[in-house]
Amino acid sequence: PYIPGLLSFRESPLTLAACQRLNTAPDLILVDGQGIAHPRGLGLASHLGILFDLPTIGCAKKRLVGTYRMPGEKKGSMVPLMGVDNRQIGMVVRTRDRVKPVFVSPGHRISVATAAALILQLTGCYRLPEVTRQAHHHVNRMRQDWLAAHPFRQG
């Protein structure tokens, strides 16, 4: 089950297995979750970045920790996400005009500024980066297909 702050323990094993099957090593890992903007400073993006020694970015729909003021209403507006020790742990980024912002935090081997800039480059017409949006879409379709094929296992 999803338990806030422990996403990495649910998602990492499957992500590790999938990445080990890749024929080409990725240049970057982007996750729908947190990097260092995490209660323990080590979210899913940080875990995967350390395990693969690759640059990783967490781009989440909700804030787990930190304080911020709301960014401007225009796409590209961003403000720092500050941790308890007054250290910047991420960026709150508006990816579409007048739409809720996303919470971007570096996981490993990438700066806050570069992570935020990449998220803006990877975001098209929707709030979320296109790669994670497409991943959600495909997983939901696979889940629906599986449930249709196994009607007695629902619930």
Side-chain angles (χ1 to χ4, degrees):
Y2 173 72
I3 301 170
L6 299 177
L7 178 68
S8 188
F9 293 99
R10 183 180 87 166
E11 302 289 333
S12 289
L14 186 59
T15 304
L16 287 168
C19 287
Q20 289 169 345
R21 296 179 66 184
L22 294 174
N23 293 326
T24 304
D27 296 319
L28 172 76
I29 296 174
L30 170 62
V31 301
D32 179 1
Q34 304 291 344
I36 62 171
H38 182 272
R40 292 166 195 85
L42 195 72
L44 177 60
S46 301
H47 273 148
L48 293 174
I50 291 167
L51 289 170
F52 288 107
D53 195 26
L54 286 170
T56 54
I57 301 172
C59 182
K61 295 179 281 301
K62 295 181 181 178
R63 171 187 62 94
L64 276 184
V65 296
T67 58
Y68 67 98
R69 58 181 174 74
M70 192 59 74
E73 293 290 319
K74 292 286 187 185
K75 178 179 180 168
S77 298
M78 57 181 82
V79 297
L81 179 64
M82 304 303 290
V84 293
D85 57 357
N86 208 31
R87 180 177 62 99
Q88 188 173 358
I89 56 174
M91 197 73 83
V92 183
V93 179
R94 186 87 61 182
T95 56
R96 290 192 61 208
D97 290 353
R98 297 176 304 281
V99 171
K100 287 195 283 188
V102 294
F103 297 85
V104 178
S105 65
H108 185 63
R109 293 184 52 195
I110 196 163
S111 70
V112 171
T114 301
L118 282 170
I119 292 302
L120 280 174
Q121 289 177 12
L122 295 170
T123 305
C125 300
Y126 298 93
R127 176 181 178 218
L128 299 177
E130 191 60 22
V131 291
T132 53
R133 193 183 79 77
Q134 286 291 326
H136 281 289
H137 174 76
H138 289 297
V139 166
N140 286 335
R141 179 173 287 159
M142 289 172 59
R143 181 183 304 124
Q144 290 170 351
D145 291 347
W146 189 88
L147 289 173
H150 301 86
F152 298 107
R153 294 193 174 190
Q154 297 178 25

